[in-house]
Amino acid sequence: EVQLVESGGGLVQPGGSLRLSCAASGFTFSSYWMHWVRQAPGKGLVWVSRINSDGSSTSYADSVKGRFTISRDNAKNTLYLQMNSLRAEDTAVYYCAREGVLMLGGMDVWGQGTTVTVSS
Amino acid sequence: SYELTQPLSVSVALGQTARITCGGNNIGSKNVHWYQQKPGQAPVLVIYRDSNRPSGIPERFSGSNSGNTATLTISRAQAGDEADYYCQVWDSSWVFGGGTKLTVL
């Protein structure tokens, strides 16, 4: 079964750091681009970051650029999001998602999400 | 940055056809993807590249894209179709619409 499972969320103080993980199974992880997408409470989906299949290329939303770092370990089938200098507005459910082959930007597999709360 | 505009809400009678629009400048030249999200659940891809259905998505779901508007059409709407629906494109980055809440009456 194709599956993505996020972990690492929790409560953190403003200015703090957190690292999210996304464990992939059921498919050849190293062949796919991967994304992080977040959703603030009661709000819509917002793209956060993307990494290509071998990890050599990354991109970020302006709101997180310079504070978040996406990475992957293809040997461990795991995607990461290192989040530093966290702000209250980073509070959200964070989803990892797979970009489908030939889907030209569409995300065909999503994890269940992990919740990040930034509060003092 | 590119913007996608969706109506906040759409209502449809049980068994009728719902149409959810997604507006954007010359969106017809882009590949549009649609996601369904039910409360407390992760999004699910229901249409990719304008009009293609992933395996497991009912034929009742269809999509079109032309000019400045893309449309997700849900035929014979069921109670289980109640959800938030998001359109998404790539335009120098990955952009989501604000989402539309579909209510089945």
Side-chain angles (χ1 to χ4, degrees):
Chain A
E1 178 192 5
V2 174
Q3 197 172 12
L4 297 172
V5 178
E6 301 95 336
S7 60
L11 175 64
V12 61
Q13 293 187 340
S17 298
L18 214 53
R19 188 176 85 155
L20 306 183
S21 299
C22 169
S25 60
F27 65 98
T28 305
F29 179 69
S30 59
S31 296
Y32 291 84
W33 288 23
M34 298 295 296
H35 297 260
W36 288 99
V37 176
R38 70 185 181 184
Q39 186 170 36
K43 302 297 185 181
L45 301 173
V46 176
W47 175 77
V48 173
S49 184
R50 163 243 114 196
I51 189 167
N52 70 343
S53 56
D54 66 6
S56 62
S57 173
T58 60
S59 56
Y60 300 91
D62 287 344
S63 59
V64 306
K65 200 172 295 182
R67 300 188 300 124
F68 290 11
T69 302
I70 190 172
S71 62
R72 65 191 298 161
D73 185 335
N74 285 344
K76 295 183 177 179
N77 292 334
T78 303
L79 174 73
Y80 302 101
L81 185 68
Q82 177 67 43
M83 304 186 296
N84 299 330
S85 303
L86 283 162
R87 306 166 180 167
E89 54 264 36
D90 296 319
T91 294
V93 175
Y94 284 74
Y95 296 99
C96 62
R98 184 182 85 171
E99 183 167 322
V101 173
L102 300 180
M103 282 197 176
L104 301 177
M107 303 173 200
D108 64 343
V109 179
W110 294 66
Q112 85 288 350
T114 188
T115 300
V116 172
T117 303
V118 184
S119 175
S120 55
Chain B
S1 60
Y2 194 78
E3 293 186 358
L4 295 172
T5 301
Q6 296 183 236
L8 283 176
S9 63
V10 167
S11 298
V12 61
L14 187 67
Q16 298 305 302
T17 298
R19 293 179 179 84
I20 298 173
T21 58
C22 177
N25 185 33
N26 196 27
I27 195 173
S29 67
K30 305 183 186 303
N31 292 282
V32 179
H33 317 286
W34 290 92
Y35 304 87
Q36 175 194 69
Q37 186 181 34
K38 297 181 179 179
Q41 297 185 19
V44 173
L45 181 69
V46 294
I47 292 289
Y48 65 95
R49 279 170 32 210
D50 297 343
S51 59
N52 297 276
R53 276 178 294 105
S55 59
I57 300 301
E59 291 183 7
R60 301 184 298 103
F61 288 80
S62 62
S64 62
N65 184 20
S66 179
N68 292 318
T69 305
T71 303
L72 173 68
T73 301
I74 305 171
S75 305
R76 303 182 299 283
Q78 302 177 359
D81 297 332
E82 277 207 349
D84 293 327
Y85 290 85
Y86 296 89
C87 58
Q88 179 246 317
V89 302
W90 183 88
D91 178 87
S92 73
S93 73
W94 289 260
V95 181
F96 289 92
T100 298
K101 181 176 181 60
L102 177 68
T103 300
V104 179
L105 304 171

